[in-house]
Amino acid sequence: MTTPNTPPVCDYEGSDYQNSFWDRGGREYEDRTEAIALRRLLPKRGRILLELGAGAGRNTPRYLGFDRIILLDYSRTQLEQAQMRLGPSNKYIYVAADAYRLPFVDGLFDTVTMIRTLHHMADARRALTQVKNVLRSEGVFILEYANKLNLKAIVRYLLGKQKWSPFALEPVEFAALNFDFHPKAIRKWLKDLEFTIERTLTVSHFRVGFIKRVIPTSILVSLDSLFQWTGALWQLSPSVFLRACKIRNPHGVETRPAMISPMMVFKCPDCGYTALADEGTHLQCLNCRKKWEFKNGIYDFRKSLD
Ligand SMILES: [Zn+2]
């Protein structure tokens, strides 16, 4: 389900991803090492954070230093699971939308996180450009990406067990809408978009079935925690986290809303107009007149109501 001119979207609609992959999938090690990396990279507090690809809200409780958190996912059912998990609170705003057409005013967010999400982007550069637009100047972007230049892929390639080269700069789509990226390519895209990379951590060094079975998780987590710092030197792990800062535009004037209410944060994803009228069951763009549904606590900007 996509609108014209945007790349295909990996949709977790109706998926029990949270349960099958995380809760019962033997991924305690991955979850705990990600928590450590996030703690090391995330600003302690801020006004408003965008969680891009929030899924069922697995990471959301790690962002509680922020006054408001916007959970964005393409799948409505993932957001419904997040609502159940997090419980009722004014702190959260739930948005179903396409990462290539973000429905937010420019320069809104102090921090944007994108974890295990770029992995599904057919046009990663385009999604990163959207992040740049919605981030305020000197705002922080925490990005996690799947690294094609990981040790396992290198060994498999050298042994002739894998066709694609981990050394080539272009992304590899190893399964439908699942992409791994070369660290150098990511660095170049971010530089082109005028981000400064402040810190890089490598994560999940021991994501190998038999190691996870043989060695206790807490030991692996401690070792990974130490190894994460080597990300500053080289990146050979399957997952890489980085913290980038949007360079300040000395000529730019930013007007940020004084208070954060849903009416102040959205723009029409179709025409870009920032005045939307709140009609209770939907928001209506005062320019192109398109209607965007608001139902059961979720703003839906994927497709306008006819
Ligand atoms: Zn519009």
mmCIF file of all heavy atoms in Angstrom, residues 268 270-273 285 287-290 292, ligand 1:
data_model
loop_
_atom_site.group_PDB
_atom_site.id
_atom_site.type_symbol
_atom_site.label_atom_id
_atom_site.label_comp_id
_atom_site.label_asym_id
_atom_site.label_seq_id
_atom_site.Cartn_x
_atom_site.Cartn_y
_atom_site.Cartn_z
ATOM 1 N N CYS A 268 0.161 19.015 6.311
ATOM 2 C CA CYS A 268 -0.457 18.110 5.353
ATOM 3 C C CYS A 268 0.662 17.405 4.561
ATOM 4 O O CYS A 268 1.497 18.077 3.965
ATOM 5 C CB CYS A 268 -1.351 18.914 4.412
ATOM 6 S SG CYS A 268 -2.027 17.937 3.065
ATOM 7 N N ASP A 270 0.495 15.857 1.857
ATOM 8 C CA ASP A 270 0.320 15.974 0.406
ATOM 9 C C ASP A 270 0.761 17.330 -0.128
ATOM 10 O O ASP A 270 1.480 17.406 -1.115
ATOM 11 C CB ASP A 270 -1.142 15.715 0.019
ATOM 12 C CG ASP A 270 -1.413 14.227 -0.146
ATOM 13 O OD1 ASP A 270 -0.519 13.427 0.210
ATOM 14 O OD2 ASP A 270 -2.502 13.867 -0.633
ATOM 15 N N CYS A 271 0.315 18.411 0.518
ATOM 16 C CA CYS A 271 0.637 19.731 -0.041
ATOM 17 C C CYS A 271 1.600 20.517 0.841
ATOM 18 O O CYS A 271 2.084 21.572 0.434
ATOM 19 C CB CYS A 271 -0.641 20.529 -0.302
ATOM 20 S SG CYS A 271 -1.390 21.211 1.184
ATOM 21 N N GLY A 272 1.869 20.030 2.047
ATOM 22 C CA GLY A 272 2.852 20.700 2.906
ATOM 23 C C GLY A 272 2.290 21.856 3.717
ATOM 24 O O GLY A 272 3.012 22.493 4.486
ATOM 25 N N TYR A 273 1.008 22.153 3.570
ATOM 26 C CA TYR A 273 0.400 23.278 4.282
ATOM 27 C C TYR A 273 0.336 22.984 5.785
ATOM 28 O O TYR A 273 0.036 21.862 6.184
ATOM 29 C CB TYR A 273 -1.003 23.516 3.729
ATOM 30 C CG TYR A 273 -1.524 24.909 3.928
ATOM 31 C CD1 TYR A 273 -0.905 26.007 3.336
ATOM 32 C CD2 TYR A 273 -2.658 25.136 4.716
ATOM 33 C CE1 TYR A 273 -1.393 27.288 3.520
ATOM 34 C CE2 TYR A 273 -3.154 26.427 4.900
ATOM 35 C CZ TYR A 273 -2.521 27.493 4.305
ATOM 36 O OH TYR A 273 -3.007 28.747 4.496
ATOM 37 N N CYS A 285 -6.964 19.698 5.901
ATOM 38 C CA CYS A 285 -6.008 20.672 5.380
ATOM 39 C C CYS A 285 -6.782 21.873 4.838
ATOM 40 O O CYS A 285 -7.703 21.703 4.040
ATOM 41 C CB CYS A 285 -5.169 20.032 4.271
ATOM 42 S SG CYS A 285 -4.080 21.216 3.473
ATOM 43 N N ASN A 287 -5.712 24.072 2.912
ATOM 44 C CA ASN A 287 -5.294 24.415 1.552
ATOM 45 C C ASN A 287 -5.891 23.457 0.525
ATOM 46 O O ASN A 287 -6.725 23.824 -0.281
ATOM 47 C CB ASN A 287 -3.772 24.422 1.480
ATOM 48 C CG ASN A 287 -3.257 24.756 0.099
ATOM 49 O OD1 ASN A 287 -3.737 25.699 -0.529
ATOM 50 N ND2 ASN A 287 -2.309 23.983 -0.384
ATOM 51 N N CYS A 288 -5.499 22.156 0.601
ATOM 52 C CA CYS A 288 -5.964 21.203 -0.416
ATOM 53 C C CYS A 288 -7.256 20.492 -0.004
ATOM 54 O O CYS A 288 -7.795 19.706 -0.770
ATOM 55 C CB CYS A 288 -4.854 20.201 -0.762
ATOM 56 S SG CYS A 288 -4.538 18.967 0.523
ATOM 57 N N ARG A 289 -7.735 20.767 1.197
ATOM 58 C CA ARG A 289 -9.012 20.239 1.716
ATOM 59 C C ARG A 289 -8.991 18.745 2.005
ATOM 60 O O ARG A 289 -10.030 18.155 2.280
ATOM 61 C CB ARG A 289 -10.212 20.563 0.773
ATOM 62 C CG ARG A 289 -10.315 22.005 0.294
ATOM 63 C CD ARG A 289 -10.331 23.027 1.374
ATOM 64 N NE ARG A 289 -11.488 22.958 2.286
ATOM 65 C CZ ARG A 289 -11.643 23.758 3.331
ATOM 66 N NH1 ARG A 289 -10.723 24.668 3.620
ATOM 67 N NH2 ARG A 289 -12.694 23.625 4.102
ATOM 68 N N LYS A 290 -7.842 18.121 1.919
ATOM 69 C CA LYS A 290 -7.800 16.677 2.205
ATOM 70 C C LYS A 290 -8.071 16.446 3.692
ATOM 71 O O LYS A 290 -7.729 17.256 4.542
ATOM 72 C CB LYS A 290 -6.438 16.107 1.835
ATOM 73 C CG LYS A 290 -6.196 16.126 0.334
ATOM 74 C CD LYS A 290 -5.550 14.832 -0.135
ATOM 75 C CE LYS A 290 -5.587 14.717 -1.650
ATOM 76 N NZ LYS A 290 -4.460 15.349 -2.312
ATOM 77 N N TRP A 292 -7.624 13.915 7.018
ATOM 78 C CA TRP A 292 -6.752 12.882 7.587
ATOM 79 C C TRP A 292 -7.406 12.365 8.859
ATOM 80 O O TRP A 292 -7.661 13.116 9.781
ATOM 81 C CB TRP A 292 -5.359 13.472 7.858
ATOM 82 C CG TRP A 292 -4.798 14.132 6.632
ATOM 83 C CD1 TRP A 292 -4.803 15.464 6.343
ATOM 84 C CD2 TRP A 292 -4.189 13.480 5.514
ATOM 85 N NE1 TRP A 292 -4.233 15.686 5.111
ATOM 86 C CE2 TRP A 292 -3.846 14.486 4.583
ATOM 87 C CE3 TRP A 292 -3.895 12.146 5.198
ATOM 88 C CZ2 TRP A 292 -3.230 14.198 3.365
ATOM 89 C CZ3 TRP A 292 -3.275 11.861 3.984
ATOM 90 C CH2 TRP A 292 -2.958 12.874 3.090
HETATM 91 ZN ZN ZN B 1 -3.015 19.787 1.940
#
